[in-house]
Amino acid sequence: RVYGRPVKFAGNPVLRPETADEINAPQNACALPKGGGLWWDAARGVFRLWYEMGWCHVIGVAESADGVSWRRVCRAELPDGLKPDSWSVLPDPGCADPSRRWKMFLRSPGPSKPADLLASPDGIRWTKICETGACGDRSSAFYNPFRRKWVLSLRSFWGEWGKGGFRSRHYCEADDFFGFGTWERKMDA
């Protein structure tokens, strides 16, 4: 075996707050890939990044041919009233419906509440398809290729806050991204 010696890229971070949405206010300036997703889009021949512009509530889309030099494309267009706090963007290249090629799990800020499941033909213009049951912030979604299942990893809470309760995770699987349905048990944030 030959071991290499990685060298940190001197140009980090590759995205810095530059636009009005990213600067937002001096104490909240960021171009933050905290949720979203970074995917190779073979149809377009570029890496695509969904990131948070400023602190909460605006999703930006950037593209790169090499993963180092990024071009800001636009803001994602979400249905009225939806604001991201915890969110995941996922490609579905085998989807038979081209209007649902991209999927998004989006939970708005606030206490325990349902998350929204959205679809998009291009990763920019989003349509709400359905809601999940209540979940906490820092919840996310992914696709498990080994089990061929869509997965939700949900922040939850067991017991009463401040009285011996504890934080936990719930793991939900579905064959169809929009097939999670809702659940009744209240999970506090």
Side-chain angles (χ1 to χ4, degrees):
R1 291 184 183 199
V2 177
Y3 294 95
R5 290 193 171 261
V7 177
K8 185 176 180 178
F9 177 59
N12 279 330
V14 295
L15 278 183
R16 297 175 189 275
E18 296 173 357
T19 69
D21 283 327
E22 293 166 351
I23 293 169
N24 193 7
Q27 70 272 19
N28 293 330
C30 66
L32 180 68
K34 80 170 194 187
L38 170 62
W39 301 100
W40 173 254
D41 187 339
R44 298 175 53 90
V46 294
F47 291 101
R48 298 184 76 198
L49 171 68
W50 288 261
Y51 68 100
E52 199 164 293
M53 304 173 86
W55 189 254
C56 290
H57 317 314
V58 180
I59 296 174
V61 182
E63 294 182 349
S64 173
D66 60 8
V68 175
S69 300
W70 290 88
R71 178 179 66 86
R72 289 158 171 83
V73 177
C74 63
R75 290 172 72 161
E77 299 172 18
L78 299 175
D80 286 342
L82 293 186
K83 297 185 181 298
D85 182 25
S86 299
W87 52 288
S88 305
V89 173
L90 305 157
D92 189 1
C95 184
D97 182 348
S99 71
R100 294 184 173 194
R101 182 169 174 257
W102 294 94
K103 315 286 198 240
M104 183 188 295
F105 168 89
L106 183 147
R107 187 192 173 280
S108 296
S112 182
K113 61 175 64 179
D116 298 293
L117 301 179
L118 297 92
S120 172
D122 56 11
I124 295 170
R125 294 167 291 138
W126 294 91
T127 302
K128 179 177 171 177
I129 305 298
C130 60
E131 290 184 350
T132 68
C135 58
D137 64 354
R138 304 292 70 85
S139 294
S140 61
F142 62 93
Y143 182 74
N144 182 334
F146 304 105
R147 294 180 48 77
R148 297 185 178 146
K149 302 281 186 185
W150 294 96
V151 179
L152 296 182
S153 174
L154 305 169
R155 179 180 174 194
S156 55
F157 192 82
W158 290 95
E160 192 174 341
W161 184 259
K163 296 186 179 181
F166 58 92
R167 292 181 183 180
S168 61
R169 302 290 300 177
H170 281 77
Y171 179 94
C172 304
E173 289 186 340
D175 293 327
D176 174 14
F177 183 78
F178 302 108
F180 285 104
T182 60
W183 44 84
E184 294 300 318
R185 188 186 181 299
K186 183 177 189 287
M187 293 185 271
D188 297 321

